[in-house]
Amino acid sequence: MRTSLNSCKRIVVKVGTSTLMYPNGNINLRTIEKLARVLSELRNEGKEVVLVSSGAIGVGLRKLQLAKRPASIPEQQAIAAVGQSELMHIYSKFFGEYGYTVGQVLLTRDVTDYPTSRKNVINTFNTLIRQGTVPIVNENDTVAVEEIEHITKYGDNDRLSAIVAKLINAELLIMLSDIDGFYHENPLLNPTAEMFDEIHEINDDVLKLAGGSGSDFGTGGMLTKLAAAEYCMQNGQQMVLANGDHPEVIYQIIAGEKIGTLFTTDKQGGFLNDPIR
Ligand code: GLU
């Protein structure tokens, strides 16, 4: 049992577009509804939950009936503007069914890098949590760009979710993906690939497994997930990478069951049967 996960009070859950949408571009209402229900139930139990959700561009494409993502930045940002409000509408409806109000927090990197705005964001998160609402975070895709002088983009929501976990002092980041955990090899290419139960250090051996040819599996890629895990571990936080197809796994993760891969520097009470420390 991963006993230390039982006592986590403040939890960040990250979901990617592949969890929220079907491969055919339609919105996966069933999964979103289950996610809202599970997170509402955690709030009922007294946990504090923040959701980091992608999907602005995916939902925007669907809403605007566009078959594929355009190449130009203004077009992508316009799609994100449409998709983000639609996404929040869907979350608001489902969380509302379970009695919870959601609050949208859109962030850019300059905001969390600059001390004054960073402090304001932390205060806003704490107030939202105290009010009993569920903050839902995304990158502010309509304004974020990659410039050398003025970096506003996080790059990916894996990184953003780890930054949010640090900002709000969460004990645990649950990263829901389209993969069950971190494997020795790409399980899509090798069905006998084995999944790690726990990783205690993101060292070169681990990075090699994630970065080798054909091993960039998962939507955001495994390297961005490992970078998020490393950031969490440096901050004394734990991260579980698990499959988001069935959001109920969140209950099992918090109960300490062996689901997905746990990234932790805490070796107490864990099961140390994996070769990487
Ligand atoms: N912010 C992007 C969106 O909502 C997704 C970025 C990511 O998933 O890494 O579409």
Side-chain angles (χ1 to χ4, degrees), residues 14-17 53-59 69 80 84 87 138-141 153 155-158 160 219-220:
K14 187 258 170 184
V15 280
T17 306
S53 174
S54 305
I57 293 187
V59 172
R69 195 178 168 129
Q84 180 63 29
L87 185 63
N138 197 356
E139 176 156 8
N140 193 350
D141 292 316
K153 226 175 161 36
D156 60 83
N157 275 5
D158 295 336
L160 173 60
T219 315

Side-chain angles (χ1 to χ4, degrees), residues 13 34-43 49 51 95 250:
V13 175
K34 280 188 194 157
L35 180 66
R37 182 172 163 166
V38 172
L39 299 185
S40 299
E41 190 59 27
L42 293 186
R43 284 248 45 158
V49 186
L51 175 63
F95 275 96
I250 293 173

